[in-house]
Amino acid sequence: MRHGRYPFVLGFLVAPVVLYTIFVFYPITQLVFVATTNWSGLSPDFDNVGLENFEKIWQDSTFWQAVQHHLMLLIALPLITIALALFFAFLLNMGGGTRGGVMQGVWGSKFYRVVFFLPQVLAVVIVGVIFSRVYGPDQSGIINRLLSFVGIERVLFMSDYGMWAILGVLVWQAVGFYVVLFSAGMSSIPADLYEAAVLDGASRITIFFRVTIPLLWETIRVAWVYLGILAFDAFALVMVLSIEQGGPDGATAVLPVLIYKQGIRESEYGYASALGVSLFLLTITFAILALRAGRREAVEH
């Protein structure tokens, strides 16, 4: 029976492995090869320049400026998004107190779940267009128009607070998905645990930190990794919202936009590929470190 099982399993693995090799592994190896050339992308001619492109990256101040922006997003985006999502999810599932010894969500929690999730179904470009009107520097901007009513001077969001403005949009769009994710995790926690905590006189804050968080830890860790990967992107938002696609003076520069500029606009595909390799290594390094750092003994229920 066992001898017949292995060919059966291998038969199902062949197609995924072949597809993964063609559409994932091969493009990555091709990217690494192009990163060692001076290919312009416009002709079949190129020279192998070794690590010259990576040396150029090391001396590129715009690259390091973009890395600093990614580090800021890497810290702030997961912290703010997960904190807000946990808070809202807890309110939607347990904020209504106890009824008959059972924890209940706030009134209208099902409707609020739909409202929170709505930004997630919008295309990123549409979100960027919406917030271009919100952050508008003159009276066309919603925030600046409201500020003018109370006599406050206009705020140049994308010039003075570029990456923080981008961060606000990323949080606004992402938090709804994690509210639903954490709500699903909370609903899977046995009600007996909450009932026992309530009978012991535990407050909702104590229940949140002593019961909910430990039992949701694996979900939170995965959410942290996903949000960290998102922090290495922000391409569409920067392209739509920023001044001169990453400006002014690199104030909103991120690596995907630099890759686009060098590859598509400057026809330096070798250098753009080297930037792509750097972005890939940064993302993989973060994912590995985040998974290892967040590892802890599982809490069973």
Side-chain angles (χ1 to χ4, degrees):
M1 186 70 177
R2 180 174 296 180
H3 294 293
R5 183 175 63 184
Y6 290 128
F8 178 77
V9 174
L10 288 175
F12 279 95
L13 288 177
V14 168
V17 170
V18 170
L19 290 174
Y20 184 85
T21 301
I22 294 174
F23 293 106
V24 178
F25 183 73
Y26 175 71
I28 290 175
T29 57
Q30 191 177 40
L31 174 70
V32 175
F33 172 74
V34 174
T36 61
T37 69
N38 61 355
W39 185 44
S40 66
L42 301 176
S43 71
D45 302 323
F46 63 86
D47 296 318
N48 194 301
V49 296
L51 299 178
E52 183 179 314
N53 287 323
F54 294 97
E55 294 175 359
K56 184 179 177 181
I57 287 175
W58 188 262
Q59 300 171 358
D60 189 346
S61 60
T62 307
F63 168 80
W64 291 111
Q65 193 175 14
V67 170
Q68 290 178 0
H69 295 157
H70 285 299
L71 289 176
M72 184 274 285
L73 292 176
L74 193 60
I75 296 171
L77 179 60
L79 279 175
I80 298 173
T81 304
I82 291 176
L84 288 174
L86 283 171
F87 174 72
F88 290 134
F90 189 76
L91 287 180
L92 295 179
N93 288 271
M94 298 152 204
T98 57
R99 299 173 191 171
V102 180
M103 300 290 291
Q104 300 288 334
V106 297
W107 183 84
S109 58
K110 292 183 179 179
F111 171 74
Y112 294 137
R113 283 191 180 94
V114 175
V115 173
F116 282 129
F117 193 76
L118 183 60
Q120 190 66 33
V121 303
L122 297 177
V124 180
V125 175
I126 294 177
V127 173
V129 172
I130 292 172
F131 274 87
S132 66
R133 299 302 301 271
V134 173
Y135 290 151
D138 49 25
Q139 291 295 318
S140 65
I142 296 175
I143 297 179
N144 277 318
R145 178 173 295 182
L146 294 175
L147 292 177
S148 67
F149 290 152
V150 294
I152 300 177
E153 293 185 2
R154 65 173 184 164
V155 179
L156 302 178
F157 288 98
M158 299 312 302
S159 297
D160 300 335
Y161 307 100
M163 289 311 300
W164 292 104
I166 297 293
L167 172 64
V169 181
L170 288 172
V171 170
W172 180 83
Q173 187 182 27
V175 71
F177 173 80
Y178 293 97
V179 167
V180 175
L181 179 66
F182 294 148
S183 294
M186 291 177 187
S187 64
S188 67
I189 299 175
D192 296 345
L193 295 177
Y194 290 117
E195 292 176 11
V198 171
L199 291 175
D200 288 339
S203 65
R204 276 179 284 183
I205 295 178
T206 302
I207 292 173
F208 179 74
F209 286 102
R210 296 296 183 88
V211 179
T212 305
I213 295 296
L215 294 176
L216 279 181
W217 183 253
E218 288 301 317
T219 305
I220 294 172
R221 186 171 68 141
V222 172
W224 193 283
V225 174
Y226 285 167
L227 287 166
I229 294 173
L230 178 62
F232 283 106
D233 186 11
F235 171 79
L237 287 179
V238 172
M239 291 290 287
V240 175
L241 287 174
S242 67
I243 300 172
E244 298 177 353
Q245 298 176 348
D249 297 327
T252 54
V254 290
L255 289 178
V257 172
L258 295 185
I259 294 170
Y260 165 80
K261 284 185 173 182
Q262 294 297 324
I264 304 300
R265 290 173 50 180
E266 304 296 333
S267 297
E268 296 183 3
Y269 275 77
Y271 186 59
S273 298
L275 288 170
V277 171
S278 302
L279 177 59
F280 173 77
L281 293 176
L282 287 172
T283 306
I284 290 296
T285 301
F286 160 75
I288 294 173
L289 292 177
L291 288 173
R292 291 183 65 87
R295 184 182 301 169
R296 57 185 291 181
E297 188 174 343
V299 179
E300 298 181 357
H301 55 82

